Amino acid sequence: GAGVSQSPSNKVTEKGKDVELRCDPISGHTALYWYRQRLGQGLEFLIYFQGNSAPDKSGLPSDRFSAERTGESVSTLTIQRTQQEDSAVYLCASSFSRGREKLFFGSGTQLSVL
Amino acid sequence: AQSVTQPDIHITVSEGASLELRCNYSYGATPYLFWYVQSPGQGLQLLLKYFSGDTLVQGIKGFEAEFKRSQSSFNLRKPSVHWSDAAEYFCAVGAGNTPLVFGKGTRLSVIA
């Protein structure tokens, strides 16, 4: 596609439920990032994928958070047993590689945990 | 660990006035520096970036930023602000293969 696509754009869930957020990166981009943006806060790094290398999971806040990526395509971020503090915008970004490359961001998924 | 500080949470300027958004970073190595803009209802967009060389970099939409190593700063400037510049601005720093670290952002409001 022309840009990074994220779905759903909005998700409302009840505390304790599991949610899956999807990201379709730009075709050809080997690097894929997930960030979390809480209200009034900066972007918090969650996880990074680069090609077939082991993902950098250093930003995941707890074991309730996990992510997968199939090759160099779609990625899914899963949050199990959601808590109210998980409410945030979850942003996906992709780039040709890590480091100096410009990140292309999706519009994000607004997650609200009631 | 690297960190980015944007001291101003919210700035209001008049249309046509000049603008400077501050960014300070803490990093042990030579950083890569970025400014991104997030307009309402839109994704983040890269304004400009600095890797090396000339410390004054030009970006899109008439923005520029100056890297000052001695002050650990990378302030964003625009000589004349337009109403369409109202948005959230994020400074980010990276180095090597580390993931980008973003500041908390500065919200810019533009008044007539």
Side-chain angles (χ1 to χ4, degrees):
Chain A
V4 178
S5 177
Q6 291 188 245
S7 61
S9 56
N10 283 282
K11 176 70 177 179
V12 180
T13 190
E14 294 179 351
K15 178 181 174 181
K17 301 284 189 181
D18 297 351
V19 295
E20 281 190 356
L21 312 180
R22 177 188 168 102
C23 173
D24 275 285
I26 293 173
S27 178
H29 280 190
T30 60
L32 187 148
Y33 298 78
W34 283 97
Y35 284 88
R36 178 170 68 178
Q37 185 179 21
R38 288 184 165 134
L39 188 64
Q41 301 294 312
L43 277 70
E44 176 187 2
F45 167 73
L46 295 177
I47 189 169
Y48 163 79
F49 296 90
Q50 172 64 57
N52 294 319
S53 301
D56 178 347
K57 304 179 181 179
S58 60
L60 293 178
S62 77
D63 59 7
R64 296 187 295 106
F65 288 73
S66 63
E68 293 182 348
R69 186 181 186 193
T70 306
E72 294 184 353
S73 60
V74 171
S75 177
T76 302
L77 177 69
T78 301
I79 308 173
Q80 296 178 309
R81 305 180 303 281
T82 53
Q83 303 295 313
Q84 289 185 331
E85 62 262 28
D86 299 333
S87 296
V89 175
Y90 290 82
L91 291 165
C92 176
S94 69
S95 69
F96 283 108
S97 65
R98 201 173 195 176
R100 302 183 177 194
E101 293 296 328
K102 168 184 175 180
L103 297 186
F104 292 80
F105 282 85
S107 296
T109 294
Q110 173 72 63
L111 175 65
S112 300
V113 182
L114 304 180
Chain B
Q2 65 268 33
S3 66
V4 179
T5 301
Q6 293 181 247
D8 304 304
I9 297 173
H10 183 205
I11 286 182
T12 300
V13 299
S14 298
E15 191 169 15
S18 63
L19 169 71
E20 183 170 30
L21 303 183
R22 296 183 290 166
C23 173
N24 293 95
Y25 67 91
S26 172
Y27 207 80
T30 300
Y32 311 141
L33 296 157
F34 304 80
W35 275 99
Y36 282 83
V37 60
Q38 187 176 36
S39 299
Q42 298 185 26
L44 280 95
Q45 180 182 23
L46 180 68
L47 283 177
L48 46 79
K49 58 186 179 183
Y50 170 80
F51 295 150
S52 64
D54 192 348
T55 55
L56 183 64
V57 293
Q58 303 296 321
I60 62 171
K61 303 183 181 183
F63 285 91
E64 65 178 27
E66 186 172 11
F67 171 57
K68 293 185 177 180
R69 185 185 300 275
S70 61
Q71 298 177 18
S72 297
S73 69
F74 189 57
N75 294 349
L76 182 71
R77 301 194 294 249
K78 187 169 184 178
S80 178
V81 169
H82 188 262
W83 65 267
S84 61
D85 293 325
E88 188 93 19
Y89 291 82
F90 293 93
C91 181
V93 62
N97 288 323
T98 60
L100 280 188
V101 174
F102 285 80
K104 294 188 175 183
T106 297
R107 183 161 62 93
L108 174 65
S109 297
V110 181
I111 58 175

